[in-house]
Amino acid sequence: MLLFLFSTVKAQNLSIASFSRLGFGSRGIALGNAMGSVTYGEVTGYYNPAVLPFANLKKASLTIGILSLDRNLDFLHYTQSLYPTAGFSIFLIRAGVKNIEARDADGYIIENLNTSEYLLGFSFSNRIVNKLSIGISLKFYYNKLYHEVKSQTLGIDFGTLFQLNDNISFAFSIHDLNSGYKWDSSIIYQEKGRTFTEKFPVTKRFSASYVLKDILLFSADLNVIGVEKKFNFGTEIFPLYFLSKQFKNIASNFCIRGGVEFFDYVRFSTGFGISRKVGNFTFTFDYTYKFERYAPSGIQFLTIGIEI
């Protein structure tokens, strides 16, 4: 009676903690999760901790997901650059499924069950030379599967980023080292229960991006998840810049985004972002729609943020 949270998978163990590989926030998901080398705009340590020293950012945001089939997926983060060469990020993911019907042998509903998973991460990185940074993320996972059947684990990410110039960046990161859920079913089945461990697949991410600030962004990632490969591409365009010279001063206030992921099937996402500066603060709103193949409707994400 186990209901995994999302999508079919192509290989053994790719369903374990799959919520943690769906992306982070409206912007990242709208860009097809091709964020491993993106240092411009809103970034977090989720995709690659090494981006943080280049971001020049002090921002917090909350993302609410609107999903079908009684699922939930929400994000929270705070990211800050530390002058002159470092940066850190704290991020939280909450996912789960509710209203899972438990039935007896005669088919009668005896109770409704809920599952929930959390990921709390802390990232820190530093530039070791002007154009090269390295970073690390510590991630705590918690999974409540069924009544008292729970598990937790600690994972580690490492990343590095090389900024060729103001426009082009390359990066590499490796994710979920040492992660694995340890389950003990003797809580339910007593002496007939057993203990076993589900190891997380390690993800290796190779990334590249090209940016013209407040004009456009192109990004691409190759993800090697266990033995599987996944290609991600994203673009972000600020259309006001191209309309008329009189809009160039406010070009950064509005952008449109699109992304595509090639894995077990082609996954498209799209969205937009709006920002408004008020005094010393910049308030942002982002929206993303991600198409789902096996659900009645796609996923929507709404993000509100404040930048200091």
Side-chain angles (χ1 to χ4, degrees):
M1 191 194 62
L2 297 182
L3 175 63
F4 285 108
L5 183 57
F6 297 99
S7 295
T8 47
V9 294
K10 293 181 67 178
Q12 185 179 10
N13 290 336
L14 292 194
S15 61
I16 301 171
S18 59
F19 80 101
S20 68
R21 295 183 292 277
L22 294 174
F24 193 96
S26 292
R27 187 188 187 217
I29 294 172
L31 290 173
N33 291 314
M35 291 283 291
S37 63
V38 175
T39 60
Y40 169 69
E42 182 178 13
V43 298
T44 72
Y46 168 85
Y47 291 100
N48 182 358
V51 305
L52 302 175
F54 296 97
N56 191 25
L57 185 72
K58 186 184 292 185
K59 184 171 184 177
S61 74
L62 170 67
T63 301
I64 303 298
I66 303 172
L67 294 81
S68 60
L69 303 176
D70 292 318
R71 299 168 297 167
N72 58 69
L73 181 63
D74 307 312
F75 310 95
L76 177 69
H77 92 92
Y78 176 77
T79 298
Q80 179 177 333
S81 301
L82 299 175
Y83 182 83
T85 62
F88 76 93
S89 179
I90 302 170
F91 53 94
L92 174 69
I93 304 177
R94 181 182 76 96
V97 182
K98 59 184 178 180
N99 297 326
I100 304 171
E101 295 179 351
R103 298 175 180 262
D104 61 18
D106 297 318
Y108 293 102
I109 298 174
I110 55 176
E111 64 176 320
N112 283 324
L113 303 174
N114 301 317
T115 69
S116 58
E117 287 189 84
Y118 294 86
L119 165 58
L120 175 63
F122 175 79
S123 303
F124 177 82
S125 58
N126 191 37
R127 278 187 284 175
I128 54 177
V129 295
N130 187 45
K131 295 185 176 184
L132 180 66
S133 65
I134 58 173
I136 184 173
S137 294
L138 300 178
K139 303 190 298 187
F140 176 76
Y141 290 87
Y142 173 80
N143 187 340
K144 180 181 180 298
L145 183 62
Y146 174 76
H147 290 302
E148 297 304 316
V149 180
K150 306 173 184 177
S151 186
Q152 56 274 325
T153 186
L154 182 68
I156 302 173
D157 298 350
F158 292 102
T160 184
L161 183 139
F162 176 70
Q163 195 171 57
L164 182 65
N165 52 44
D166 291 339
N167 307 113
I168 301 173
S169 299
F170 301 97
F172 170 76
S173 55
I174 186 167
H175 302 260
D176 288 322
L177 297 173
N178 195 49
S179 299
Y181 286 141
K182 185 176 182 180
W183 301 104
D184 183 5
S185 61
S186 63
I187 297 173
I188 300 175
Y189 300 113
Q190 287 79 45
E191 69 276 1
K192 294 183 179 180
R194 66 189 183 95
T195 299
F196 62 96
T197 299
E198 292 181 310
K199 298 293 291 183
F200 291 13
V202 173
T203 299
K204 303 180 185 72
R205 178 174 293 129
F206 303 85
S207 310
S209 62
Y210 175 82
V211 62
L212 293 175
K213 186 176 180 181
D214 295 339
I215 302 176
L216 58 85
L217 163 71
F218 296 109
S219 57
D221 284 6
L222 165 62
N223 297 273
V224 181
I225 309 172
V227 297
E228 302 293 336
K229 292 181 176 64
K230 178 180 178 182
F231 297 91
N232 301 358
F233 301 94
T235 184
E236 183 176 66
I237 299 174
F238 295 80
L240 295 180
Y241 179 88
F242 300 97
L243 293 180
S244 173
K245 292 182 179 180
Q246 64 182 357
F247 293 118
K248 288 186 178 181
N249 292 333
I250 59 171
S252 62
N253 290 5
F254 175 71
C255 68
I256 55 176
R257 304 176 179 122
V260 61
E261 302 175 65
F262 296 93
F263 189 38
D264 47 354
Y265 62 91
V266 180
R267 313 172 189 207
F268 296 98
S269 53
T270 186
F272 65 86
I274 301 172
S275 65
R276 177 68 182 270
K277 189 169 184 179
V278 180
N280 294 325
F281 302 93
T282 299
F283 297 91
T284 61
F285 173 78
D286 298 277
Y287 172 82
T288 292
Y289 185 91
K290 183 170 183 176
F291 296 87
E292 282 198 294
R293 186 176 182 180
Y294 299 111
S297 61
I299 307 175
Q300 300 179 74
F301 294 100
L302 306 175
T303 299
I304 55 172
I306 181 171
E307 184 175 344
I308 304 173

